[in-house]
């Protein structure tokens, strides 16, 4: 995530430097220190863990029906750590989800393609090494470590998109932008660019060089905009660099005095799932843990999973779609699972062999069916022949 810091030439830049100098050295927090924030880390880790455990299923849409098809290689081993050491899709999903929740963007370079031209391998890159050159509401250039990479060779997922901004935001940045309009404490919006109130990034005007008079006018426009809590925009295009993200997030959290429960809300993670005390005497017991997990998967993680499914579906030719099987994470106790399975068989929703396959059992043999008949009696009596008395 990142603070929108204005990078203007001459006097405007000097003015911002002076504003930043007001901060004491004791308030500076490195990115590594900010990542040590236990609640933020636990929330990101929980979300990434859940997504990485979901089996990736690929279907071909036939009318209203989805028919399972083979999973492409990119959704099995998306990248190689070294020659002969491919990563699993679980590792890749974990890393990309951490980037999405930490910076709002997950970016990778397509290093290989299949026979149809779809990505075969996608090498994820560090979010802080990525810069986006933006014109209006479009990304016109990607830079990795300062080097331009063609857009067709870039894989880009995003989340928490602000209207008119084509790059994603982390949950804390998104909260800062959303809540900032209602918060005037410590001149929050005045310190937006220079005071470290929100996470740090760079918006740089690369289209023109300003004269001293123009720079002074730019400074006045900047002051007029941020003093009333409005965004400051000018120029033709911009370079967005997500740098010093976690350090500035930590400063925002400290300034606004947000609690651990507030941070959980930002990430969409119930406090009790990351050992944060909840208010009102609420408690989670073994009797309702399954319902609690279901609520988390549907209400909290469900929207993020849906967005990821839509993004991953772009790696397969239409009309194929990708589904992350969140149902596989719901671990019921043996008694409840047996009752549910019995209902599914009795209602003809599943066959016994389908349910056995989920427990890694082979299909029932004729000998096993015969043994069940001897123990419990056959439910399928041979019908009487026509014309024969019953």
């Amino acid at each position: 995530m990142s603070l929108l810091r204005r990078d203007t030439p001459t006097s405007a830049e000097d003015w911002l430097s002076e504003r930043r100098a007001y901060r004491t050295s004791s308030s500076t927090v490195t990115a590594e220190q900010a990542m040590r924030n236990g609640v933020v880390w636990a929330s990101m880790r929980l979300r990434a863990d859940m997504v990485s455990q979901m089996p990736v299923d690929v279907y071909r849409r036939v009318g209203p029906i989805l028919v399972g098809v083979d999973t492409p290689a990119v959704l099995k081993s998306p990248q190689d750590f070294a020659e002969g050491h491919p990563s699993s899709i679980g590792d890749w999903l974990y890393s990309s989800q951490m980037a999405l929740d930490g910076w709002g963007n997950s970016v990778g370079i397509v290093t290989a393609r299949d026979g149809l031209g779809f990505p075969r391998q996608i090498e994820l890159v560090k979010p802080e090494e990525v810069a986006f050159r933006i014109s209006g509401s479009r990304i016109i250039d990607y830079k990795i470590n300062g080097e331009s990479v063609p857009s067709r060779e870039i894989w880009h997922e995003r989340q928490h998109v602000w209207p008119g901004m084509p790059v994603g935001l982390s949950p804390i940045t998104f909260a800062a932008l959303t809540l900032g309009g209602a918060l005037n404490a410590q001149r929050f919006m005045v310190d937006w660019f220079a005071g470290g109130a929100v996470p740090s990034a760079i918006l740089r005007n690369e289209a023109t060089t300003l004269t001293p008079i123009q720079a002074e006018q730019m400074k006045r426009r900047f002051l007029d905009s941020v003093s009333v809590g409005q965004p400051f925009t000018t120029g033709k295009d911009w370079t967005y660099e997500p740098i010093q993200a976690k350090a500035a997030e930590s400063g925002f959290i400290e300034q606004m005095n947000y609690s651990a429960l507030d941070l959980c809300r930002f990430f969409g993670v119930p406090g009790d799932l990351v050992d944060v005390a909840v208010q009102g005497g609420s408690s989670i017991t073994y009797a309702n843990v399954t319902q609690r997990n279901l609520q988390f998967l549907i209400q909290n993680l469900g929207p993020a999973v849906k967005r990821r499914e839509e993004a991953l579906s772009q790696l397969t030719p239409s009309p194929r779609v990708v589904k992350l099987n969140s149902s596989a994470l719901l671990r019921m106790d043996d008694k409840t699972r047996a009752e549910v399975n019995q209902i599914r068989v009795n209602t003809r929703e599943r066959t016994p062999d389908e349910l056995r396959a989920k427990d890694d059992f082979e299909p029932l043999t004729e000998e096993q069916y015969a043994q069940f008949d001897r123990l419990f009696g056959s439910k399928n009596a041979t019908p009487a022949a026509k014309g024969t008395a019953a």
Side-chain angles (χ1 to χ4, degrees), residues 174-213:
F174 193 75
L177 288 172
T178 304
L179 300 176
L183 297 173
N184 295 318
Q186 300 179 16
R187 294 176 60 83
F188 175 79
M189 294 306 289
V190 174
D191 289 340
W192 174 269
F193 283 82
V198 295
S200 167
I202 295 176
L203 283 180
R204 179 184 298 115
N205 188 333
E206 297 180 337
T208 185
T209 300
L210 304 182
T211 66
I213 295 177

Side-chain angles (χ1 to χ4, degrees), residues 5 9 36 52 57 102 122 148 177 180 190 228 232 250 257-258 262 273 332 334-335 346 350 385:
R5 176 174 63 82
R36 297 191 188 111
S52 68
D57 300 323
I122 301 174
S148 294
L177 288 172
V190 174
V228 294
F232 173 72
S250 181
N257 195 29
Y258 283 122
D262 290 325
L273 295 185
M332 294 180 289
D334 291 342
K335 180 177 182 294
N346 292 340
R350 292 286 188 273

Side-chain angles (χ1 to χ4, degrees), residues 75-113:
L75 296 177
K76 294 179 180 178
S77 54
Q79 69 181 76
D80 291 333
F81 291 126
E83 185 176 357
H85 295 275
S87 72
S88 67
I89 184 61
D91 287 337
W92 193 87
L93 288 173
Y94 182 94
S95 298
S96 55
Q97 189 63 45
M98 289 291 281
L100 286 170
D101 287 336
W103 284 266
N105 299 275
S106 175
V107 176
I109 300 177
V110 179
T111 57
R113 294 184 179 273

Side-chain angles (χ1 to χ4, degrees), residues 43-92:
S43 300
M44 292 172 58
R45 188 268 310 161
L46 176 62
R47 287 168 58 89
D49 276 345
M50 294 297 99
V51 172
S52 68
Q53 291 185 78
M54 296 180 185
V56 180
D57 300 323
V58 181
Y59 299 91
R60 178 169 56 88
R61 191 178 297 278
V62 181
I65 301 174
L66 293 178
V67 180
V69 297
D70 291 337
T71 303
V74 70
L75 296 177
K76 294 179 180 178
S77 54
Q79 69 181 76
D80 291 333
F81 291 126
E83 185 176 357
H85 295 275
S87 72
S88 67
I89 184 61
D91 287 337
W92 193 87

